[in-house]
Amino acid sequence: MLSSTWQVTGVSGTVAELIERTPHQRDFEATSIPGILELDGLWVRREEEARRAAEAGGEPTADRVRASILRREFIFDAPLKEAVERGWMMTLTFGGFSGPLYAWVDGTFVGFCADGFIPAAFDVTGTLQPTHSHTLAVLLMDSPVCCHGLFREVSLEARPPAHIVDVVPVASHDGRAGTLTLRVETTGGVEVHAALVNETEQERLWSAVASPDEVFDVRGLDVIPWSAEEPALYRLIVTLRDEERVKDTVSLDLGFRDLTATPEGLRLAGRPLTLRGVRRNECDGRTGLAVNIPEMLEDIVWCKRHGVNAVAIEQGPAHACFYELADQYGLYIIDRASTMYEPGPARDEAIEAMIRRDRAHPSVVAWNVGEEDEDIRAARALDPTRREYADTDFPLLSEVRAEELHYAPVTVAPSYSGVTVRNHMTFTSTCDLEFLCRVVEDGAVTWEYPAFLDVAPGETGFLPVEWPASGMREVSVRLSYGTGWAPAGFEIGRGVMPVP
């Protein structure tokens, strides 16, 4: 990891001048990466000084731009040093950045990328010199559309010459058993070993060996289908070997679900899927685009506690960890390609990068790539298992959090003779929920009756209750079990019948 403390300075000039200047820049202040430079007081002052100095020399010309130069020195740890000596492939990855980025390693230019919402990876194998310390320099142009900085992690990765390039699983479930089609792209090796593991029960469900150009196709897997209500995950482990030893290993979590798109909407496991969702911009009020895992988890937990089962990504793909959390906790994601570009090669690259990164996640149920026919065809060529979902009427998460929006998965309506229960969930019955019936008089609870009622998904049931003659009747729907997002006793719905 090459995050933590970096050096930074604000500059202005023509693009050609700044490119020439960046590898040799020496005057810096300290900053934190991941971070947003607008929140760094020293950088703001230095950037303002650079702007005023440029204006004092004459009116800024049309080709003069403002930018930042960032720098970090690093040394190899023992495993990386050994990897370099063995000739392994070295990849420098910027997890997220705003504005066009130019990068140098040890004074040698290694790459340019315009869109920073999807990680940008540069091959630096032939660039790293066999010296004790190394220098990474970055020229980051000001972005007119979002906060400025390296807002996600920066890392250096070593991989052997024969390694796994991509793992493309398609996991489905027909209601009885799971099916897995697996394609593995490699740069060499003799054998690909694949295994599916139920980590909860420490059980291997399936394993097989094939050549790198073969496709794994397995049926009849004894797995639980994945849904937002029961997000069952299984670990897929893919290993590349030759005659002597393991060359590379990749593992990821899989969810098995049968997703289809019809003119009426999405269907999961053959049932109409009702999306109760919000739109989410990955931007924190304190740290801007540099959103950390605790803030992502806070959003996920809020959604689960308020009956939200879907999140539509706004502006550009979220951090990779957000999709992993959605897989784990159970949310349906409508993923979105970067909105920074008009149709053309740059937008095509952004769409491809998003789909390649996120297509293995069971939580991703649709892509938002706009309405251009070429973009839709490109998305379907990369992932024919999902359809496009252009616009939603969902509210914005940052706005409704203040209003405590609540999509109740179960609604209750108390009456004189009992409680009408409506189950809005797609797959889960109400058998594990507690219906706490109460009578309240003058603000105090005078009578209480806990009860259980098994109402099937999408159905309505009636719970007979012998209420006392007086008082306000209310019913609280509570979890009778603890989850990763709420403890036992957490209220997910409420109904009140006022005093006549």
Side-chain angles (χ1 to χ4, degrees):
M1 298 303 296
L2 296 176
S3 298
S4 69
T5 302
W6 282 50
Q7 297 172 306
V8 65
T9 188
V11 293
S12 65
T14 65
V15 173
E17 292 171 349
L18 298 181
I19 290 175
E20 178 70 23
R21 175 180 175 179
T22 297
H24 313 291
Q25 180 71 29
R26 289 292 180 267
D27 187 17
F28 292 100
E29 304 287 352
T31 192
S32 295
I33 303 297
I36 296 299
L37 293 176
E38 280 82 351
L39 302 179
D40 191 328
L42 290 173
W43 176 86
V44 170
R45 289 194 294 273
R46 181 60 61 87
E47 200 273 349
E48 179 67 15
E49 291 171 3
R51 184 184 63 81
R52 290 180 178 178
E55 291 178 352
E59 288 295 322
T61 59
D63 59 353
R64 182 174 291 275
V65 297
R66 292 192 295 171
S68 299
I69 297 176
L70 299 103
R71 183 175 183 270
R72 190 192 194 280
E73 294 183 351
F74 63 96
I75 60 174
F76 288 147
D77 58 15
L80 274 180
K81 184 176 180 182
E82 180 183 358
V84 171
E85 292 172 350
R86 294 171 62 183
W88 284 26
M89 177 180 176
M90 308 295 291
T91 303
L92 175 65
T93 302
F94 295 89
F97 53 90
S98 55
L101 175 145
Y102 302 77
W104 291 259
V105 173
D106 293 338
T108 301
F109 180 69
V110 295
F112 163 83
C113 186
D115 185 357
F117 281 97
I118 285 291
F122 304 124
D123 184 352
V124 296
T125 307
T127 304
L128 292 163
Q129 302 299 320
T131 57
H132 178 69
S133 63
H134 305 273
T135 302
L136 171 59
V138 173
L139 174 63
L140 190 63
M141 300 298 181
D142 275 10
S143 171
V145 296
C146 58
C147 297
H148 184 56
L150 300 175
F151 55 82
R152 292 177 188 158
E153 300 81 2
V154 182
S155 62
L156 184 66
E157 179 184 36
R159 308 199 76 176
H163 63 267
I164 297 170
V165 177
D166 199 3
V167 175
V168 188
V170 178
S172 60
H173 200 287
D174 62 5
R176 298 181 299 273
T179 300
L180 173 63
T181 301
L182 174 64
R183 178 168 55 87
V184 181
E185 299 176 10
T186 72
T187 61
V190 175
E191 294 179 337
V192 175
H193 294 239
L196 187 70
V197 179
N198 183 342
E199 292 190 323
T200 303
E201 300 180 4
Q202 295 296 305
E203 177 187 8
R204 176 172 289 197
L205 303 175
W206 164 81
S207 62
V209 181
S211 63
D213 57 349
E214 290 185 66
V215 175
F216 295 91
D217 192 356
V218 56
R219 300 177 184 277
L221 290 169
D222 184 16
V223 293
I224 300 171
W226 184 97
S227 69
E229 294 162 25
E230 190 171 3
L233 294 174
Y234 299 86
R235 175 66 56 143
L236 175 66
I237 304 171
V238 180
T239 302
L240 182 65
R241 302 180 61 98
D242 62 11
E243 295 90 340
E244 299 178 353
R245 57 183 171 180
V246 172
K247 291 295 185 181
D248 198 11
T249 299
V250 171
S251 64
L252 65 155
D253 288 331
L254 286 187
F256 292 78
R257 83 274 190 287
D258 179 24
L259 178 72
T260 57
T262 69
E264 292 75 31
L266 293 174
R267 298 180 73 89
L268 193 64
R271 302 183 186 180
L273 180 60
T274 300
L275 299 180
R276 302 181 297 273
V278 293
R279 293 177 290 123
R280 178 180 183 266
N281 284 324
E282 190 156 279
C283 187
D284 186 82
R286 297 163 296 172
T287 61
L289 293 173
V291 178
N292 297 314
I293 291 180
E295 286 75 30
M296 299 179 207
L297 184 57
E298 186 179 340
D299 282 350
I300 295 278
V301 169
W302 186 94
C303 288
K304 295 295 293 185
R305 289 188 170 190
H306 289 78
V308 171
N309 71 353
V311 173
I313 303 298
E314 290 280 284
Q315 294 185 355
H319 195 292
C321 289
F322 184 80
Y323 302 88
E324 295 172 4
L325 291 170
D327 293 342
Q328 177 185 346
Y329 283 82
L331 282 178
Y332 303 116
I333 303 295
I334 300 171
D335 207 359
R336 184 164 191 167
S338 173
T339 58
M340 295 178 65
Y341 305 106
E342 297 295 327
R347 178 158 177 79
D348 294 343
E349 291 178 5
I351 293 173
E352 180 177 354
M354 171 196 68
I355 293 177
R356 284 185 176 275
R357 189 193 71 168
D358 299 335
R359 62 188 169 187
H361 290 284
S363 58
V364 177
V365 296
W367 307 113
N368 185 349
V369 296
E371 299 180 356
E372 295 290 334
D373 290 341
E374 292 184 3
D375 293 345
I376 292 174
R377 283 195 294 269
R380 291 183 180 176
L382 289 163
D383 177 33
T385 68
R386 299 176 177 89
R387 283 297 176 258
E388 301 70 38
Y389 199 91
D391 295 307
T392 68
D393 296 325
F394 299 158
L396 188 61
L397 175 59
S398 60
E399 296 177 357
V400 297
R401 285 192 67 163
E403 302 172 5
E404 292 297 300
L405 170 71
H406 197 293
Y407 290 120
V410 176
T411 55
V412 286
S415 62
Y416 289 104
S417 57
V419 180
T420 300
V421 179
R422 171 67 174 168
N423 184 3
H424 302 285
M425 295 186 287
T426 306
F427 300 99
T428 305
S429 75
T430 65
C431 63
D432 290 329
L433 298 177
E434 179 188 51
F435 297 90
L436 185 61
C437 306
R438 289 175 168 176
V439 171
V440 180
E441 293 186 88
D442 298 326
V445 177
T446 60
W447 181 85
E448 192 171 87
Y449 169 63
F452 292 86
L453 182 68
D454 191 357
V455 179
E459 299 295 327
T460 300
F462 185 77
L463 175 67
V465 178
E466 295 183 2
W467 301 96
S470 62
M472 180 179 70
R473 300 162 187 178
E474 67 177 31
V475 180
S476 174
V477 186
R478 301 185 174 196
L479 297 178
S480 62
Y481 54 90
T483 72
W485 50 270
F490 181 81
E491 182 180 279
I492 64 170
R494 173 178 286 268
V496 176
M497 178 181 176
V499 178

